[in-house]
Amino acid sequence: SPPAVVSQVTVRDALNQALDEELERDERVFLLGEEVAQYDGAYKISRGLWKKYGDKRVIDTPISEMGFAGIAVGAAMVWLRPVCEFMTFNFSMQAIDQVINSAAKTCYMSAGSIAVPIVFRGPNGASAGVAAQHSQCFAAWYGHCPGLKVVSPWSSEDAKGLLKASIRDDNPVVMLESELLYGVPFEMSEQAQSKEFVIPIGKAKIERQGTHVTLVSHSRPVGHCMEAAAVLSKEGVECEVINLRTIRPMDIETVEASVVKTNHLVTVEGGWPQFGVGAEICARIMEGPAFNYLDAPAVRVTGADVPMPYAKILEDNCIPQVKDIVFAVKKALNI
């Protein structure tokens, strides 16, 4: 058979492709948020979509997150399928009442009679030089809440497959993207670029096979884990790198199977340490069958426990770097 066609696609273009295909596929899908229409999106994710689909499907909103998130949730309750973009997830705090009390709880409180098929999406976590009010990771916050599904893509394939799956899902989904990944190109197979390509929500992906230590991460730090694994490989340490892809529901089985194989665990995330995603993974491993296979305590690599400073050198020291992951692996392996 001929070799599969692989092309380089940025995360931005993969998201744009997903939105375009889903707007075309289902007329109930619409996009709303600040600057998404005439300006082509603050991050150019929705480039060309307003020209193609018009005012009813791609809607510029006033700067009122609580207002437009509420409109979107109401629309979802009557079986439209809104995609609600926050300019950063830090601003979703303005609308957290709508996300949690209106979207997440309604299906349960209506005994399943009212579904809320909505996607809340936008950049999450640290960008560059935007200080504390724009740099927080909300994976642990939203991952804490039953009634939501929470996805956190790394590669272009993740971004496209998870966004399409999220739009088609009948539950409210929070999609946490990374602004720093938007312009990054990743290889995408021909299959991943087809209109029917979706990635099931709740399934992690092993990005690199290894035997000595399991690295578990999501979003941009997956790339740092891959780099750390390449560095450690030269020293004879083979890391298995797991890209979680989904925060809730969490695919703990894939992590357990890997820990049974490697006997060591390091978690990596951009968020704060207390009650974080890594803390949850460590607890699940401790409570489950893989605990007896651990040869050393699990180690967490996280963002610093401070509001993000503005100065670049301080910002760099607050976000997990490759050297921090290498150090954590050596600590776990006692080398």
Side-chain angles (χ1 to χ4, degrees), residues 223-297:
H224 294 126
C225 288
M226 295 294 279
E227 287 176 48
V231 170
L232 286 157
S233 182
K234 292 185 178 126
E235 299 180 33
V237 175
E238 294 302 331
C239 302
E240 183 142 296
V241 179
I242 297 177
N243 171 9
L244 273 179
R245 285 180 163 174
T246 307
I247 306 300
R248 181 182 190 102
M250 190 179 279
D251 180 4
I252 206 67
E253 294 77 19
T254 295
V255 180
E256 281 175 341
S258 180
V259 168
V260 166
K261 182 169 84 171
T262 67
N263 313 114
H264 296 90
L265 173 65
V266 174
T267 67
V268 186
E269 66 191 302
W272 294 320
Q274 192 157 323
F275 311 112
V277 174
E280 174 66 18
I281 294 166
C282 291
R284 295 269 197 106
I285 291 298
M286 201 173 98
E287 291 166 351
F291 175 69
N292 292 321
Y293 290 84
L294 278 177
D295 287 344

Side-chain angles (χ1 to χ4, degrees), residues 42 60 70 73-74 81 89 97 142 166 194 229 290 334:
D60 278 329
V73 171
R81 303 188 86 87
F89 259 95
D97 179 56
Y142 286 120
S166 300
S194 82
N334 197 24

Side-chain angles (χ1 to χ4, degrees), residues 3 5-6 11 16 34-35 42 49 74-75 82 86 95 118 138 155 171 240 246 248 269 273 276 291 303 326:
V5 179
V6 175
V11 171
N16 180 271
E34 294 144 359
E35 311 280 16
L49 298 179
F86 294 123
I118 186 171
F138 290 93
S155 65
N171 298 278
E240 183 142 296
T246 307
R248 181 182 190 102
E269 66 191 302
F291 175 69
V326 171

